[in-house]
């Protein structure tokens, strides 16, 4: 019985550690592995693509500085997310994650962000920095700027794995079965 309780405690601690949040660093030297008209990010716990968007014609390009990611294109002298021309950056994940928060840099008093999760607007002109998602499960999120006074960058975001409670119960059941089998073998010997 003591071994079973010890095993259960270890499994519980491992499951808790696995649910820790992953910070995806979008600043220079961070977790962005390519830039241009499409980007990507890759870190333990979060992988996916980054898609910049600007209203109007012409190509859209991701820009990166020590402050994070922004968008640039023809006719736009700023490489931040700004409302001069409506701009947005979408992060698409290779697998579903729990969204925890997103943090901005150069985010001043007049700045606000439109925030979408899986294509649905969840915050209209939010001035929260960082913005907390409330641990929603998603495969993508978008940060947009559409106000003339907006001018900021996306510095980082935090995600956590989607918990799989059934897998934990299966593991505990398997360990209990192995314990019962070893006890039965000891009795027959």
């Amino acid at each position: 019985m003591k071994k079973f309780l010890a095993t259960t405690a270890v499994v519980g601690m491992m499951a808790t550690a696995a649910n820790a949040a992953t910070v995806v660093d979008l600043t220079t030297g961070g977790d962005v592995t390519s830039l241009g008209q499409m980007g990507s990010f890759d870190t333990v716990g979060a992988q996916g693509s980054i898609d910049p968007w600007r209203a109007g014609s012409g190509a859209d390009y991701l820009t990166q500085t020590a402050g994070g990611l922004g968008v640039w294109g023809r006719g736009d002298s700023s490489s931040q997310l700004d409302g001069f021309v409506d701009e947005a950056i979408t992060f698409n994940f290779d697998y579903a994650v729990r969204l925890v928060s997103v943090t901005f840099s150069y985010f001043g008093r007049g700045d606000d962000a439109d925030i979408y999760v899986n294509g649905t607007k969840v915050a209209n002109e939010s001035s929260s920095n960082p913005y907390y998602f409330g641990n929603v499960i998603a495969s993508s999120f978008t940060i947009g700027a559409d106000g003339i006074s907006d001018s900021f960058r996306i510095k980082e975001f935090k995600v956590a794995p989607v918990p799989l409670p059934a897998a934990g119960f299966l593991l505990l059941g398997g360990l209990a079965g192995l314990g019962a089998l070893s006890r039965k073998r000891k009795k027959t010997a």
Side-chain angles (χ1 to χ4, degrees):
M1 183 64 168
K2 288 181 183 178
K3 287 182 183 179
F4 177 73
L5 291 175
T7 303
T8 303
V10 169
V11 169
M13 286 188 295
M14 288 179 358
T16 302
N19 286 329
T22 296
V23 176
V24 179
D25 181 3
L26 304 173
T27 63
T28 305
D31 300 316
V32 176
T33 54
S34 65
L35 290 168
Q37 289 182 311
M38 286 290 287
S40 62
F41 57 94
D42 189 0
T43 186
V44 176
Q47 295 85 33
S49 64
I50 308 168
D51 186 12
W53 175 84
R54 295 177 64 250
S57 62
D60 313 317
Y61 296 94
L62 286 170
T63 63
Q64 185 181 44
T65 66
L69 292 180
V71 177
W72 177 86
R74 185 177 66 170
D76 186 3
S77 61
S78 169
S79 61
Q80 301 191 120
L81 282 168
D82 60 58
F84 178 73
V85 174
D86 291 356
E87 299 173 336
I89 298 177
T90 299
F91 298 88
N92 297 297
F93 297 94
D94 291 348
Y95 47 84
V97 296
R98 279 188 308 125
L99 297 175
V100 178
S101 66
V102 61
T103 303
F104 309 109
S105 60
Y106 310 115
F107 200 79
R109 274 187 171 190
D111 291 324
D112 54 60
D114 293 335
I115 301 170
Y116 300 79
V117 173
N118 294 332
T120 301
K121 188 180 271 190
V122 296
N124 185 34
E125 300 182 358
S126 172
S127 59
S128 299
N129 187 23
Y131 175 83
Y132 292 96
F133 290 99
N135 292 320
V136 297
I137 296 174
S139 58
S140 71
F141 76 93
T142 301
I143 304 297
D146 62 4
I148 194 70
S149 64
D150 293 339
S151 185
F152 59 90
R153 289 184 171 274
I154 306 171
K155 181 179 181 182
E156 68 182 26
F157 61 86
K158 293 181 185 177
V159 297
V162 176
L164 299 172
F169 292 121
L170 285 172
L171 178 62
L172 288 176
L175 290 173
L178 287 173
L181 183 62
S182 91
R183 203 175 274 149
K184 182 178 180 182
R185 284 185 182 169
K186 285 181 184 178
K187 285 184 181 180
T188 59

